[in-house]
Amino acid sequence: MMTFSLGNYGPLVEARLRAWEKAGFSRRLWAKDPTLWAAGAGPGIRDRLGWLDLPETMEPRLAGIQAVAAEIAAEGFTRAVLLGMGGSSLAPEVFERTFGHAPGHPELIVLDSTHPDAVAAIERRLDPGRTLFIVSSKSGTTVEPLSFFRYFWRLVSGVTSSPGRQFIAITDPGTPLAALACERGFRRAFEAAPDVGGRFSALTEFGLVPAAVIGVDVGKLLANAREEARADAPDTPEGLSPALRLGAVLGEIAAARDKLTFLVSPSLRSFPDWLEQLVAESTGKGGKGIVPVVGEPALPAGGYGADRIFVSLVLGSDPHRDVDDLAASLERAGHPVVRIRLVDAYSIGAEIFRWETAVAAAGAVLGIQPFDQPDVELAKELARQAMAGGSAGGAKVLRSERAVPADEASALSTALDGWLARTRPGDYVALQAYIAPDDATDRALRDVRLALSAKTGLATTLGYGPRFLHSTGQLHKGGPDEACILQLVDEPACDLAVPETDLTFGRLIRAQALGDYQALVERGRRVLRVNLKGDPSGGIGLVGKWAGA
């Protein structure tokens, strides 16, 4: 069930839906008409609209996926590690955190941090002989999952003469990863539909294989998506299509309120992480965009600015009184609020399809091409230059900015004051943490978000690097100039080599942070780098202390 409280924005939304009905928007969307989006976007858009067909086309492919999942359960694997990044890792993580792993099926662990401490922490949790590794990369060339693969391939090779039996690949047809899987004797290589972009791939093998491995009923998940697709069918009047109505709301309100803030009940806490990439990477370009605000500590209704639109996502069986009460308070305060109530956890399948369609439709309102990510490649290229060491890009980054040490109180206080002085009404504060994620850093970063929110009155976002580079990183560089960015780096005590290369994970994440910093500077963004040294949680605490002072 989905309801809307839009206030003065209601007439704009209704006008948009009437215009779409007159223009045959739904029919043209399902016909994959590229002219629905920005002028000059080109016919290549047709090659990125395969997600529309997935509720139907994936059904006959489920048997093969479920057969492999049954094999894995029967062989007694206790854990499965998803080696991926961005679109290939976020949906599997949502499925594990929402459904958990069924009895007799392995627990799923997602590795999408190149920080050596994060890689080492995963290794410590594993029994190498009873762990399945899922190497997931659409292009088959993404540096992070391939580096993870090489590290764990060596680990597994130390305990078995047939390491390939513990590896599965998910990629597009004909990629280098597909060739690698054949060469190394992987248990299976799944090739997904090539006309589906990474952030739209949750209902392809990229999402459904890991889900099946942990015992999720992928047939039921897909059936829910199919039900939503039928509700949004081409012969449904635009005003009656749930997805198009949501898309009209997102697109029309974005001009005045572009901070899309999610309020969720406990079982759905992970779902907005997937929505964050979908919304940010699809809409944040050409100086436009919708800013998803995920996991922000809740404020009283009066503590939010007039640049917000809210989405309440609750599971009917969850305790959600606090979310309902806050949503009601926000409505009374005049904020636009969308309320979505899921019947059960499998309704996520329907929500995935609904939000994909809605974000595509919102892109038409914004006048952007929602299926590319033109600014993501800049940071990747600068990171490659930084890793090369002698190149101009890497050297330029290293020369131009020394991160402020967190343990130098005067320097940190002065730098934070100068950075905060550059904020403006309508901005948002983005925390970019190039550190290993764990409970201690999560708590410390939450405190910093609260301090910065209280100090500035602005929306706050948080991303661990390099994970966010494949999602909100596009928005930070290509979206509106509203991001005030605090980049946090540290100095790992130990490093780990990436086998079969001359890289280490420490060098890799350092280059990714430097490349991202340089890309932000080249885009004229307001960014401050802080070095937390060897004590990430303590350093974050010092940042919070001075940021809130």
Side-chain angles (χ1 to χ4, degrees):
M1 182 178 70
M2 181 169 59
T3 61
F4 302 88
S5 176
L6 304 179
N8 294 335
Y9 299 101
L12 289 174
V13 172
E14 296 303 327
R16 173 63 61 177
L17 289 167
R18 288 194 299 271
W20 277 349
E21 186 166 355
K22 184 177 180 180
F25 186 96
S26 184
R27 173 185 51 77
R28 292 166 60 197
L29 172 66
W30 283 91
K32 303 177 182 177
D33 180 354
T35 65
L36 289 175
W37 292 282
I45 287 181
R46 290 183 186 274
D47 300 329
R48 285 293 177 266
L49 287 167
W51 53 271
L52 284 163
D53 305 319
L54 292 175
E56 298 293 341
T57 59
M58 282 304 298
E59 187 174 17
R61 304 175 77 154
L62 292 183
I65 293 172
Q66 291 166 324
V68 171
E71 276 180 20
I72 291 160
E75 292 180 26
F77 286 100
T78 57
R79 288 192 169 94
V81 182
L82 191 287
L83 310 177
M85 191 62 59
S88 64
S89 65
L90 287 167
E93 184 174 80
V94 168
F95 295 144
E96 170 63 39
R97 292 185 178 180
T98 302
F99 295 97
H101 52 287
H105 291 264
E107 172 193 9
L108 182 69
I109 301 170
V110 172
L111 177 59
D112 59 0
S113 171
T114 53
H115 196 288
D117 289 352
V119 177
I122 296 294
E123 182 181 359
R124 287 193 295 270
R125 296 175 61 183
L126 305 180
D127 175 349
R130 301 182 68 195
T131 301
L132 178 79
F133 296 89
I134 304 172
V135 190
S136 190
S137 169
K138 181 175 173 61
S139 69
T141 60
T142 312
V143 65
E144 297 96 340
L146 291 179
S147 298
F148 300 147
F149 157 71
R150 292 185 177 104
Y151 186 84
F152 288 104
W153 178 268
R154 175 169 291 183
L155 179 70
V156 175
S157 295
V159 298
T160 177
S161 59
S162 304
R165 293 290 297 166
Q166 292 180 228
F167 286 82
I168 285 175
I170 309 174
T171 188
D172 276 7
T175 69
L177 176 55
L180 179 70
C182 181
E183 173 191 328
R184 303 275 180 119
F186 278 24
R187 173 184 291 267
R188 178 71 184 267
F190 288 95
E191 294 187 342
D195 58 351
V196 180
R199 58 187 175 275
F200 288 83
S201 67
L203 298 176
T204 70
E205 285 84 353
F206 285 102
L208 298 185
V209 169
V213 164
I214 62 174
V216 174
D217 184 343
V218 290
K220 190 173 181 180
L221 197 69
L222 202 63
N224 275 266
R226 195 155 48 248
E227 185 177 338
E228 176 64 28
R230 289 168 182 165
D232 302 311
D235 58 350
T236 301
E238 281 72 2
L240 298 180
S241 163
L244 292 187
R245 180 166 289 275
L246 178 59
V249 169
L250 298 178
E252 288 294 338
I253 297 180
R257 293 174 175 260
D258 65 349
K259 311 303 187 300
L260 181 65
T261 305
F262 292 94
L263 314 171
V264 295
S265 65
S267 295
L268 301 177
R269 202 171 301 279
S270 181
F271 186 47
D273 292 338
W274 178 82
L275 290 170
E276 181 179 45
Q277 181 191 29
L278 178 70
V279 173
E281 198 169 39
S282 297
T283 69
K285 57 200 74 172
K288 302 175 183 180
I290 299 170
V291 181
V293 180
V294 171
E296 186 179 52
L299 301 173
Y304 294 105
D307 57 347
R308 305 265 196 159
I309 172 176
F310 295 87
V311 174
S312 161
L313 281 163
V314 301
L315 186 64
S317 58
D318 269 356
H320 53 82
R321 176 76 177 271
D322 56 339
V323 176
D324 288 347
D325 287 349
L326 179 54
S329 296
L330 292 165
E331 289 170 351
R332 289 193 295 271
H335 293 287
V337 178
V338 179
R339 295 196 193 213
I340 300 175
R341 182 186 178 100
L342 279 65
V343 175
D344 59 29
Y346 281 97
S347 299
I348 281 182
E351 289 304 315
I352 287 170
F353 189 86
R354 178 185 295 174
W355 279 88
E356 288 173 343
T357 307
V359 168
V365 179
L366 294 173
I368 52 94
Q369 205 271 61
F371 309 111
D372 64 355
Q373 47 282 332
D375 298 289
V376 169
E377 185 57 36
L378 174 62
K380 289 183 182 179
E381 175 57 30
L382 289 168
R384 286 191 286 267
Q385 292 178 12
M387 282 187 284
S391 66
K396 183 178 179 182
V397 174
L398 291 166
R399 285 199 306 267
S400 64
E401 178 70 8
R402 183 179 74 92
V404 179
D407 58 359
E408 294 183 13
S410 178
L412 179 61
S413 176
T414 298
L416 284 167
D417 285 347
W419 173 67
L420 288 169
R422 300 176 68 192
T423 61
R424 305 178 298 245
D427 284 341
Y428 65 99
V429 175
L431 298 176
Q432 300 180 347
Y434 283 91
I435 57 181
D438 59 30
D439 291 342
T441 55
D442 285 347
R443 288 192 296 270
L445 289 166
R446 176 186 170 88
D447 290 344
V448 172
R449 288 185 81 172
L450 281 168
L452 289 169
S453 177
K455 180 84 168 183
T456 65
L458 301 177
T460 62
T461 68
L462 167 65
Y464 279 102
R467 169 181 176 143
F468 75 85
L469 289 176
H470 300 258
S471 57
T472 54
Q474 169 63 41
L475 174 74
H476 296 154
K477 302 172 191 71
D481 184 14
E482 299 174 349
C484 298
I485 296 162
L486 181 61
Q487 189 190 86
L488 305 173
V489 298
D490 70 353
E491 298 175 0
C494 299
D495 203 352
L496 297 173
V498 179
E500 306 175 44
T501 75
D502 60 357
L503 285 178
T504 69
F505 283 107
R507 184 179 166 199
L508 177 56
I509 195 168
R510 194 160 50 246
Q512 289 171 317
L514 289 169
D516 188 35
Y517 171 78
Q518 183 64 27
L520 292 165
V521 169
E522 290 193 9
R523 290 289 188 267
R525 299 314 194 219
R526 293 157 287 169
V527 55
L528 171 66
R529 297 182 77 229
V530 175
N531 186 349
L532 307 173
K533 301 290 190 69
D535 180 15
S537 297
I540 295 168
L542 293 171
V543 171
K545 172 185 175 182
W546 293 112

